[in-house]
Structure formats: structure tokens, C-alpha cells
Amino acid sequence: MTIDIASLAARPDLASLLDEDFDGGWPPFMLWDPMGSVYYSVAHDLYPEFVFAAVDSAEPGRAVARAYAVPLRWTEPELPDGGWDRVIQRATIDRLSGAETNIVSALEICIRPDRRGTGLSALMLDAMRRATAKQGYDTLVAPVRPNGKHTRPDLPMTEYAAQVRADGLPADPWLRVHVRAGGRIERVAPRSMTIAGTLADWRRWTGLPFDVSGPVRVPDALVPVHCDVTHDQAVYVEPNVWVRHRLSPAAD
């Protein structure tokens, strides 16, 4: 197969492909993080250099993967506890205030469900690293959602992220892709995404009853969802793992 990866700045015609064929790319409940619409509603127009589509020459009318990132200004010593949500918030404030950005954060790399396990995630990450460097940035960070963590929802993320194989690489496949690409695991973002809803919302999103107060283990959730029947609400606070990529300004 021949995979062509381009940003929307270079190929604006690819924008229409990014909403097609990705059903099932993420668990339905994750689409209800309120910060998501703040970014995705403007990403194609305002950040086209950081929105990417991958097309296989064998099926040119469909995207096989997509990726999103955003530039922001971050000068604090540690990357934020708020992870994904905080990055979108800060990037939006920076854009509205005209602040000079100094790093780029990945927000999503999504592989079409039928093309997973074919090495596309590494290709998309490499394209994002190269494009970030080409724009003059020396740092790409990522609040990584480890793709094996949902099988261990009760294990603290700090312990999960520290697990390594015999070769010293992370046990988690997605963290391993980042480390192989040159990324360095820095810390856990304990509240990277916060998704709250009524019990009816969560029943609709998951098909589960949500009729008993306490932790609820939801398929594809990295940690249990906290259910409060008395107050008719449930809240999911997802931890992610910060990875930092140092880039060469000469990369192209």
C-alpha cells in the first residue's frame, strides 16, 4: 500500500474525508467531553497546518487515518494535570489573546477501525512530528490515552504507565509507539478529560443500567465512572500520560 499523509493546509480538499468512516473510532461517551467542541468546531479553519489526513492509494476517496494537534504557549515547568482539556483551553485563550505559541500538543490520532494494527499510528505520529518541526517548533507534547489501559481499569495510571517489557519499552502499545519515535514519558495527567452527564445520558452512551451508586466499569473507559443515583449524575475523570517529543528544527 502507498499511504499519502497531508495537512489540510496542503490539501484542503481532504477535509470532507475526516468525518467519514470513523464511526467506532472512539467510545461514544468520549464524544461528550465539553472541551472537544471548542477545538474541533474551528480546527479545520484555524489550525489547518495541524490537521492531517492519510489516504491509501488503493482507495483514494477515503481516509484511513486522521490526526489533530494545536499550538499553544506553555512556560510552566510541568505539563498540566488537566491534560487534554487544559491544552484546548490554553490554546483557545492564546489564540484569542494573540499570545506567541511555543509548543504544539497532539490531541488525536485515530485510525479507521478496519485499518488498525497496520502500523498507521506510527506513520501519523511521524507526520505530526515532521510538520511541527517544519512550523518552527522544537517540542511536540501529547496527553496520550494508553490503548491497553481499558483492560486494567482499577490499576492506577501511574502504575500502568510504568510497566515495561523485557526490552525496556512500555508495555502499553500506544505508549510504546511514542517512545520508539523518540518521545519521553514525563508524568500522568490525572484529570485529562472530564465527562459528566445524567444517568439517562450514561445509559444512552453505554447501554448500561447505571442504577447503583458507586464505581461503574464501562467498556473502553480507562478508569471506573463514578455514579451517584441520589443526585442523578455520573462523572468520568480520565487520566492520560504526558509524553514529550524533542524535535530538530531542521526536520522536514
Side-chain angles (χ1 to χ4, degrees):
M1 66 180 176
T2 300
I3 302 296
D4 179 34
I5 302 173
S7 72
L8 293 192
R11 291 281 311 276
D13 58 297
L14 296 178
S16 62
L17 304 183
L18 297 181
D19 292 328
E20 301 175 1
D21 299 321
F22 286 91
D23 287 348
W26 300 105
F29 66 86
M30 289 192 64
L31 304 180
W32 293 91
D33 182 311
M35 292 305 298
S37 61
V38 174
Y39 169 77
Y40 286 103
S41 63
V42 300
H44 291 189
D45 293 328
L46 299 181
Y47 307 112
E49 300 89 349
F50 301 103
V51 180
F52 308 90
V55 178
D56 186 339
S57 59
E59 44 178 346
R62 301 175 67 194
V64 295
R66 67 186 185 191
Y68 291 84
V70 70
L72 67 148
R73 182 165 185 80
W74 193 265
T75 58
E76 297 170 32
E78 289 191 332
L79 293 167
D81 287 348
W84 198 85
D85 284 351
R86 185 73 173 99
V87 160
I88 293 175
Q89 180 190 58
R90 177 63 70 90
T92 303
I93 292 171
D94 291 341
R95 175 173 58 82
L96 294 174
S97 66
E100 182 178 357
T101 58
N102 63 340
I103 67 171
V104 172
S105 177
L107 291 175
E108 174 187 352
I109 292 179
C110 185
I111 311 304
R112 206 173 72 195
D114 64 308
R115 298 297 291 266
R116 290 178 177 172
T118 61
L120 283 169
S121 58
L123 294 179
M124 297 302 286
L125 178 58
D126 180 66
M128 187 181 288
R129 283 169 50 99
R130 289 175 177 272
T132 298
K134 189 174 183 179
Q135 292 294 320
Y137 296 91
D138 64 5
T139 302
L140 172 71
V141 297
V144 176
R145 186 177 199 265
N147 60 3
K149 177 64 172 68
H150 68 97
T151 66
R152 304 290 302 279
D154 297 313
L155 184 69
M157 183 64 89
T158 50
E159 295 182 29
Y160 180 83
Q163 294 179 341
V164 296
R165 307 188 312 181
D167 60 5
L169 290 171
D172 181 81
W174 193 204
L175 287 174
R176 192 160 61 246
V177 169
H178 278 269
V179 172
R180 279 178 170 156
R184 179 170 61 88
I185 295 174
E186 288 204 346
R187 66 191 299 258
V188 167
R191 48 182 177 83
S192 192
M193 288 181 139
T194 300
I195 302 169
T198 65
L199 301 187
D201 289 332
W202 281 97
R203 290 169 186 141
R204 185 173 68 254
W205 299 338
T206 67
L208 298 176
F210 275 90
D211 54 0
V212 177
S213 292
V216 179
R217 287 156 188 80
V218 171
D220 297 315
L222 305 193
V223 295
V225 177
H226 294 276
C227 175
D228 184 338
V229 172
T230 302
H231 296 95
D232 187 30
Q233 65 177 0
V235 180
Y236 175 65
V237 181
E238 177 173 293
N240 289 163
V241 179
W242 276 116
V243 177
R244 185 185 297 266
H245 294 258
R246 296 290 189 184
L247 308 173
S248 166
D252 56 28

